[in-house]
Short mmCIF file of all heavy atoms in Angstrom, two decimals:
data_model
loop_
_atom_site.label_atom_id
_atom_site.label_comp_id
_atom_site.label_asym_id
_atom_site.label_seq_id
_atom_site.Cartn_x
_atom_site.Cartn_y
_atom_site.Cartn_z
N MET B 1 43.04 68.17 164.07
CA MET B 1 44.03 67.91 165.12
C MET B 1 43.31 67.81 166.46
O MET B 1 42.40 68.56 166.74
CB MET B 1 45.08 69.04 165.16
CG MET B 1 46.11 68.86 166.25
SD MET B 1 47.32 70.21 166.25
CE MET B 1 48.27 69.82 164.79
N GLY B 12 52.15 83.08 177.17
CA GLY B 12 51.54 84.38 176.95
C GLY B 12 51.12 84.56 175.50
O GLY B 12 51.44 83.74 174.64
N ALA B 15 52.94 83.58 171.82
CA ALA B 15 54.04 82.62 171.91
C ALA B 15 53.81 81.51 170.89
O ALA B 15 52.80 80.84 170.89
CB ALA B 15 54.10 82.04 173.32
N THR B 20 49.07 82.69 160.87
CA THR B 20 48.03 83.68 161.11
C THR B 20 47.15 83.89 159.89
O THR B 20 47.63 84.13 158.80
CB THR B 20 48.66 85.00 161.51
OG1 THR B 20 49.32 84.83 162.74
CG2 THR B 20 47.62 86.08 161.67
N GLY B 21 45.87 83.80 160.12
CA GLY B 21 44.91 84.17 159.09
C GLY B 21 44.89 83.24 157.89
O GLY B 21 44.31 83.56 156.87
N LEU B 26 46.43 75.37 153.86
CA LEU B 26 46.56 74.72 152.57
C LEU B 26 46.07 75.63 151.46
O LEU B 26 45.55 76.69 151.68
CB LEU B 26 45.72 73.44 152.55
CG LEU B 26 46.25 72.31 153.43
CD1 LEU B 26 45.22 71.20 153.49
CD2 LEU B 26 47.56 71.79 152.89
N ASP B 29 48.56 80.29 147.78
CA ASP B 29 49.74 80.69 148.54
C ASP B 29 49.64 82.11 149.06
O ASP B 29 50.58 82.60 149.64
CB ASP B 29 51.01 80.50 147.71
CG ASP B 29 51.01 81.37 146.47
OD1 ASP B 29 49.97 81.96 146.16
OD2 ASP B 29 52.07 81.45 145.83
N TYR B 30 48.53 82.77 148.85
CA TYR B 30 48.39 84.08 149.46
C TYR B 30 46.94 84.36 149.85
O TYR B 30 46.02 83.74 149.34
CB TYR B 30 48.91 85.19 148.54
CG TYR B 30 48.13 85.37 147.27
CD1 TYR B 30 47.05 86.25 147.21
CD2 TYR B 30 48.50 84.70 146.12
CE1 TYR B 30 46.34 86.42 146.04
CE2 TYR B 30 47.79 84.87 144.95
CZ TYR B 30 46.72 85.73 144.91
OH TYR B 30 46.01 85.90 143.76
N LEU B 31 46.80 85.29 150.76
CA LEU B 31 45.48 85.77 151.18
C LEU B 31 45.33 87.19 150.67
O LEU B 31 46.17 87.68 149.92
CB LEU B 31 45.39 85.77 152.70
CG LEU B 31 45.57 84.43 153.38
CD1 LEU B 31 45.69 84.61 154.88
CD2 LEU B 31 44.41 83.53 153.05
N PRO B 39 45.82 91.53 163.07
CA PRO B 39 47.16 91.90 163.55
C PRO B 39 47.37 93.41 163.67
O PRO B 39 47.95 93.89 164.65
CB PRO B 39 48.09 91.29 162.47
CG PRO B 39 47.32 90.12 161.95
CD PRO B 39 45.88 90.53 161.99
N LEU B 40 46.87 94.18 162.68
CA LEU B 40 47.09 95.63 162.74
C LEU B 40 46.20 96.28 163.81
O LEU B 40 46.51 97.37 164.29
CB LEU B 40 46.85 96.27 161.37
CG LEU B 40 47.87 95.89 160.29
CD1 LEU B 40 47.54 96.60 158.97
CD2 LEU B 40 49.30 96.21 160.71
N GLU B 42 46.03 95.46 166.70
CA GLU B 42 46.77 95.49 167.96
C GLU B 42 47.73 96.68 168.00
O GLU B 42 48.32 96.96 169.04
CB GLU B 42 47.54 94.18 168.14
CG GLU B 42 46.61 92.98 168.24
CD GLU B 42 47.29 91.77 168.82
OE1 GLU B 42 48.02 91.91 169.80
OE2 GLU B 42 47.10 90.68 168.25
N ILE B 46 42.42 102.67 164.63
CA ILE B 46 41.42 102.61 163.57
C ILE B 46 41.82 101.51 162.59
O ILE B 46 42.97 101.09 162.55
CB ILE B 46 41.25 103.95 162.83
CG1 ILE B 46 42.58 104.36 162.19
CG2 ILE B 46 40.74 105.02 163.77
CD1 ILE B 46 42.46 105.53 161.26
N ASP B 47 40.83 101.05 161.82
CA ASP B 47 41.11 99.99 160.87
C ASP B 47 42.03 100.50 159.77
O ASP B 47 41.71 101.46 159.07
CB ASP B 47 39.82 99.48 160.24
CG ASP B 47 40.11 98.48 159.14
OD1 ASP B 47 40.64 97.40 159.46
OD2 ASP B 47 39.86 98.80 157.97
N LEU B 69 48.57 89.10 150.62
CA LEU B 69 49.24 88.86 151.89
C LEU B 69 49.81 87.44 151.92
O LEU B 69 49.09 86.46 151.69
CB LEU B 69 48.24 89.03 153.04
CG LEU B 69 48.83 88.84 154.44
CD1 LEU B 69 49.78 89.99 154.77
CD2 LEU B 69 47.72 88.76 155.48
N LEU B 88 54.60 96.02 152.79
CA LEU B 88 54.56 96.06 154.26
C LEU B 88 55.02 94.71 154.79
O LEU B 88 54.74 93.67 154.20
CB LEU B 88 53.11 96.35 154.68
CG LEU B 88 52.65 96.31 156.13
CD1 LEU B 88 51.37 97.13 156.27
CD2 LEU B 88 52.37 94.90 156.64
N ARG B 89 55.75 94.77 155.89
CA ARG B 89 56.05 93.54 156.64
C ARG B 89 55.66 93.80 158.09
O ARG B 89 55.90 94.89 158.61
CB ARG B 89 57.55 93.22 156.61
CG ARG B 89 58.11 92.75 155.30
CD ARG B 89 59.57 92.30 155.52
NE ARG B 89 60.23 91.96 154.28
CZ ARG B 89 60.88 92.82 153.52
NH1 ARG B 89 60.97 94.09 153.87
NH2 ARG B 89 61.44 92.42 152.40
N ASP B 93 57.72 90.28 167.86
CA ASP B 93 58.99 89.94 168.49
C ASP B 93 58.77 90.08 169.99
O ASP B 93 58.86 91.17 170.54
CB ASP B 93 60.09 90.89 167.99
CG ASP B 93 61.45 90.54 168.58
OD1 ASP B 93 61.55 89.52 169.29
OD2 ASP B 93 62.41 91.30 168.33
N ARG B 102 58.18 100.44 154.39
CA ARG B 102 58.97 101.20 153.42
C ARG B 102 58.48 101.05 151.98
O ARG B 102 58.85 101.82 151.12
CB ARG B 102 60.44 100.82 153.55
CG ARG B 102 60.86 99.65 152.70
CD ARG B 102 62.30 99.32 152.91
NE ARG B 102 62.41 98.34 154.00
CZ ARG B 102 63.53 97.72 154.30
NH1 ARG B 102 64.65 97.99 153.66
NH2 ARG B 102 63.57 96.82 155.26
N LEU B 107 50.45 106.63 152.61
CA LEU B 107 49.16 106.00 152.91
C LEU B 107 48.12 107.10 153.09
O LEU B 107 48.39 108.11 153.74
CB LEU B 107 49.24 105.19 154.21
CG LEU B 107 49.93 103.83 154.14
CD1 LEU B 107 50.26 103.35 155.54
CD2 LEU B 107 49.04 102.82 153.43
N ASP B 110 41.37 107.30 155.90
CA ASP B 110 40.07 107.95 156.12
C ASP B 110 39.84 108.10 157.61
O ASP B 110 39.79 107.12 158.35
CB ASP B 110 38.97 107.10 155.48
CG ASP B 110 37.64 107.82 155.42
OD1 ASP B 110 37.52 108.89 156.08
OD2 ASP B 110 36.73 107.34 154.73
#
Side-chain angles (χ1 to χ4, degrees):
Chain B
M1 178 180 288
T20 296
L26 290 171
D29 62 350
Y30 65 90
L31 300 171
L40 293 181
E42 298 197 43
I46 60 170
D47 174 65
L69 182 69
L88 173 159
R89 289 188 186 88
D93 182 5
R102 89 181 90 170
L107 283 164
D110 191 348

